Structure formats: C-alpha cells, structure tokens
Amino acid sequence: MTNSNFQGPHLLAPTGSDLRRYGKEGTVFAGYHYDLNFLTIHGRSRFPGLSIWLRNGLKMEVKVPVGCLLIQAGKQIEWLTAGECMAGMHEVVVTNRTTDAIKQALEQNCSLWRVSSTLFAHIASDAVLKPLGHFSDSSLASKYPPICAGEYVEQELAVINLKGNKGA
C-alpha cells in the first residue's frame, strides 16, 4: 500500500455560514456524522460550533488553538485498522459559545460569517482497502473485507443518496 494516498481524490472544502441570518442557538450546519475518507483535517474556524464524540461516547466541543489543526480518522483508516482506529463522529451546531462569539464580533464590528476550511484526504480510488499488517489478524478483520477505495466511496454515497441516478 505504498503511496496509497498519492493521487487520491482529496477535497478541500471551505464552508461559510452567515451567522447574522443563521446564528440562532441550535441551528445545525452539519448533523452528527462520520466522514468516509481516510483523514479529515479541520482548520480553525472563525466561530466555535464543532463538536466531536470521543471513543467512550462523550461529546466534546472542540477548541482548536491558533496555528493548529484537528485531524480526525475517517472510515478508510477504520477499514485499514480493522476498527482499531474508528472514524470520528462530529457535528457543527450553533452553541452558546457561538452566540457569545457572535455578540463579541458585533461589538468589534467584525464579520459574522463562520468560515471553516476542511481537507478530506482520501486513499487512491484504485487502492484496495483491507486490514493491514497485524490488524489483519484482528477478530474484527472479517468486518472489513477487501474493496477498492473508489468502490467503497461509491457504496457510501449510494447509501446517503448523494450519488444520484446513474441512468440520468
């Protein structure tokens, strides 16, 4: 699996949300989910709202320090480790910390756009996902049968209805 992410279909996905319009506490920008890629790299957002779930099920609001990134495992790395490294669950919701930051931004006459830049790193589509090394000996390895990364992504997208109609 040498250089298996070389020429992977990586995606840089900046998002923007107008908190002047959508800044009510409880507004959901991205509901509870995992990512289907290898690694998700979250940049620091201008406003809080990203929460993650720890492996023990505890929800935790993220505070990414200036100059730092948050890196989360995606389903592809879960596949390669037979579930030892599980895909990280997360969401983006307007919280009381977000509304406090909105008030502060208003006082300072700053923009109320919540901007975040996320990089989704993928394994190359023609590389085979399967438990590697000692993970192949895991009792859970059979839950992760060999599959091309591109086919796996297509299956995930079909399940969440983003793939669309092939015949159209």
Side-chain angles (χ1 to χ4, degrees), residues 152-165:
Y152 171 74
V153 169
E154 287 180 6
Q155 287 179 9
E156 283 275 345
L157 293 177
V159 168
I160 58 175
N161 295 319
L162 290 180
K163 191 172 180 182
N165 185 352

Side-chain angles (χ1 to χ4, degrees), residues 6-165:
F6 178 71
Q7 294 186 337
H10 311 302
L11 176 65
L12 177 60
T15 57
S17 304
D18 182 357
L19 296 176
R20 190 175 303 278
R21 187 169 181 185
Y22 301 105
K24 182 179 178 197
E25 190 168 342
T27 301
V28 177
F29 294 125
Y32 177 78
H33 69 284
Y34 63 81
D35 293 328
L36 57 81
N37 52 295
F38 180 63
L39 293 174
T40 299
I41 303 154
H42 300 275
R44 185 175 196 272
S45 176
R46 297 180 62 236
F47 288 88
L50 174 64
S51 292
I52 61 171
W53 275 258
L54 304 179
R55 197 168 176 142
N56 65 4
L58 181 67
K59 180 181 177 180
M60 178 179 186
E61 194 166 358
V62 173
K63 298 175 186 172
V64 179
V66 174
C68 295
L69 301 169
L70 170 67
I71 301 177
Q72 276 193 301
K75 280 301 249 190
Q76 291 177 345
I77 200 168
E78 181 176 320
W79 211 271
L80 299 175
T81 64
E84 182 68 27
C85 185
M86 296 173 61
M89 303 301 293
H90 54 282
E91 70 179 6
V92 181
V93 176
V94 176
T95 65
N96 63 333
R97 284 188 58 236
T98 313
T99 57
D100 289 347
I102 290 170
K103 290 172 192 163
Q104 185 176 17
L106 282 169
E107 290 169 4
Q108 297 173 356
N109 202 28
C110 293
S111 172
L112 292 184
W113 277 87
R114 183 187 190 280
V115 178
S116 62
S117 294
T118 306
L119 176 65
F120 301 95
H122 285 260
I123 299 297
S125 297
D126 59 352
V128 175
L129 294 176
K130 63 180 182 179
L132 299 177
H134 73 278
F135 298 114
S136 65
D137 298 328
S138 165
S139 62
L140 298 176
S142 63
K143 290 184 167 189
Y144 301 92
I147 185 171
C148 281
E151 184 179 343
Y152 171 74
V153 169
E154 287 180 6
Q155 287 179 9
E156 283 275 345
L157 293 177
V159 168
I160 58 175
N161 295 319
L162 290 180
K163 191 172 180 182
N165 185 352

